[in-house]
């Protein structure tokens, strides 16, 4: 958050730290809210996996680490690339922008494309929205909203984890909606 959003996108490590603090605060408040919504006793237990004994040699440990890292990163990278491509394909088709321009002013197609990028993928959303909002009072709340929403690419990754661990996915999405709203409101109030 500090490096990519603050330094790279906003040219300010301080803003990155402040937005990071807002994300932490909104996550904490969301956790408190969800703890009052979720009945802990009805939540299924987390799957306990057998502990795997690592190879004893240094080379075996190193090889196992690389294999684990590759198997962990492939679905993450694949999901990000897929949704970055998917959002650009939707934008390139011009279908949604054409429909929106029938209802709203002609310049709304650019805004529609920004929203599509934000919905699907975090970095693409930030890349599209920050130049659009730069210099306006909506910049920091917009960035905070995009960061807390994270994009469908991230939601798919988290959902896969939830499914593997037999956790209820609906609370994740409820939490993301609450946290996105809270982070935007807190950014307006604090920053």
């Amino acid at each position: 958050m500090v490096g990519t959003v603050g330094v790279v996108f906003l040219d300010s490590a301080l803003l990155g730290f402040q937005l990071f603090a807002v994300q932490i605060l909104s996550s904490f408040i969301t956790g408190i809210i969800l703890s009052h919504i979720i009945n802990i006793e009805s939540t299924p237990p987390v799957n306990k996996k057998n502990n795997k004994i690592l190879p004893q040699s240094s080379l075996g440990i190193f090889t196992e680490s690389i294999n684990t890292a590759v198997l962990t990163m492939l679905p993450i990278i694949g999901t990000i690339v897929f949704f970055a491509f998917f959002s650009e394909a939707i934008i390139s088709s011009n279908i949604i922008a054409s429909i929106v321009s029938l209802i709203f002013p002609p310049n709304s197609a650019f805004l529609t494309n920004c929203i599509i990028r934000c919905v699907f993928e975090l970095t693409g959303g930030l890349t599209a929205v920050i130049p659009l909002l730069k210099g306006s009072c909506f910049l920091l709340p917009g960035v905070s909203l995009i960061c807390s929403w994270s994009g469908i690419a991230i939601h798919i990754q988290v959902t896969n984890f939830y499914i593997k661990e037999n956790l209820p996915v609906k609370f994740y999405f409820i939490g993301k909606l609450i946290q996105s709203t809270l982070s935007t409101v807190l950014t307006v109030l604090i920053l």
Side-chain angles (χ1 to χ4, degrees):
M1 175 69 100
V2 176
T4 304
V5 176
V7 175
V8 174
F9 284 116
L10 298 174
D11 298 322
S12 170
L14 178 62
L15 284 177
F17 276 113
Q18 291 172 333
L19 286 168
F20 184 58
V22 166
Q23 296 301 315
I24 291 171
L25 182 60
S26 64
S27 295
F28 184 71
I29 295 169
T30 300
I32 292 170
I33 292 169
L34 284 177
S35 72
H36 292 292
I37 295 173
I38 300 170
N39 179 1
I40 300 298
E41 285 128 25
S42 69
T43 304
V46 176
N47 289 339
K48 299 290 181 190
K49 296 180 181 170
N50 294 332
N51 289 335
K52 203 162 123 182
I53 298 172
L54 294 175
Q56 295 299 317
S57 71
S58 297
L59 181 59
I61 292 171
F62 181 71
T63 304
E64 184 68 24
S65 296
I66 290 175
N67 288 337
T68 302
V70 168
L71 292 175
T72 302
M73 291 306 295
L74 278 176
I76 293 170
I77 294 168
T79 305
I80 292 169
V81 169
F82 173 80
F83 281 104
F85 171 79
F86 186 72
S87 64
E88 291 305 316
I90 290 173
I91 290 167
S92 296
S93 74
N94 224 11
I95 294 171
I96 295 176
S98 297
I99 293 169
V100 168
S101 66
L102 293 174
I103 302 167
F104 296 103
N107 295 336
S108 61
F110 179 73
L111 181 61
T112 302
N113 293 342
C114 288
I115 292 169
I116 290 169
R117 285 186 177 100
C118 292
V119 166
F120 287 107
E121 205 268 317
L122 175 64
T123 307
L126 289 171
T127 303
V129 168
I130 287 176
L132 178 70
L133 298 178
K134 199 135 197 158
S136 79
C137 63
F138 300 110
L139 176 64
L140 294 180
V143 168
S144 188
L145 174 65
I146 293 166
C147 288
S148 59
W149 169 250
S150 303
I152 292 176
I154 300 295
H155 300 321
I156 294 296
Q157 295 168 34
V158 173
T159 301
N160 285 335
F161 170 77
Y162 271 61
I163 291 169
K164 285 178 187 173
E165 296 300 325
N166 198 27
L167 295 169
V169 176
K170 70 178 178 180
F171 297 120
Y172 169 73
F173 289 106
I174 292 169
K176 286 310 287 180
L177 291 173
I178 293 170
Q179 195 231 346
S180 297
T181 304
L182 278 173
S183 71
T184 305
V185 170
L186 289 171
T187 300
V188 168
L189 295 174
I190 296 172
L191 304 180

